[in-house]
Amino acid sequence: MPDPNGSARDPAGAPPSWRIPLPHSNAAVPIARALIRTALADIDAPADSDTAELLTAELVANAVEHTPADQPIELIVELFDSGCQVEVHDRSPLPPGDLGAPDPLDPDPWQEHGRGLLLIRTLSSACGHRPTAHGKAVWFTLPGRPPLPEFP
């Protein structure tokens, strides 16, 4: 996968991971989608790439929309045998809406916004946010796809 910082592959067999700075613009969303698609395809990762692309796009779009334009955004992708984890780091310390809410309200069907975090909560196996030294990380994990049955 092309990566300006190089992919981090630990010789001891740790899972592949990528840490990629993104432009703070609407261009970050298609770039992030392409990066996650390529990362999952490069090593035939067990996670569903369509879902990973959709949820990654939601996290990146939120970071672009809700942080000042002069602040960096970073995408971190970790691939595991059991699936993948995606994080988006930004400089805002504010939590991402109701991502961690146990029983969130349904979004207003007449509003343009408000469905992204619902998608992340619904389609991921886990999601959340945590403070970082320079802001926050918002993340989700996807389980691996079950292996297809083998027929004689």
Side-chain angles (χ1 to χ4, degrees), residues 48-111:
D48 176 48
S49 64
D50 291 335
T51 303
E53 280 186 60
L54 173 65
L55 301 186
T56 299
E58 291 296 336
L59 289 185
V60 171
N62 282 348
V64 169
E65 182 177 346
H66 297 291
T67 60
D70 62 340
Q71 295 181 355
I73 297 171
E74 189 172 46
L75 175 68
I76 299 174
V77 181
E78 290 184 83
L79 304 177
F80 307 103
D81 291 337
S82 61
C84 71
Q85 179 166 311
V86 175
E87 291 185 356
V88 174
H89 290 227
D90 64 50
R91 295 285 173 106
S92 172
L94 300 175
D98 61 355
L99 184 62
D103 189 20
L105 300 174
D106 291 330
D108 183 342
W110 299 105
Q111 296 298 315

Side-chain angles (χ1 to χ4, degrees), residues 33 50-59 61-62 98-99 104-107 112-127 139-142:
R33 288 182 76 111
D50 291 335
T51 303
E53 280 186 60
L54 173 65
L55 301 186
T56 299
E58 291 296 336
L59 289 185
N62 282 348
D98 61 355
L99 184 62
L105 300 174
D106 291 330
E112 285 187 28
H113 301 286
R115 292 170 187 79
L117 296 179
L118 176 63
L119 283 172
I120 293 166
R121 280 192 312 272
T122 303
L123 298 176
S124 67
S125 57
C127 61
W139 59 271
F140 68 85
T141 58
L142 290 178

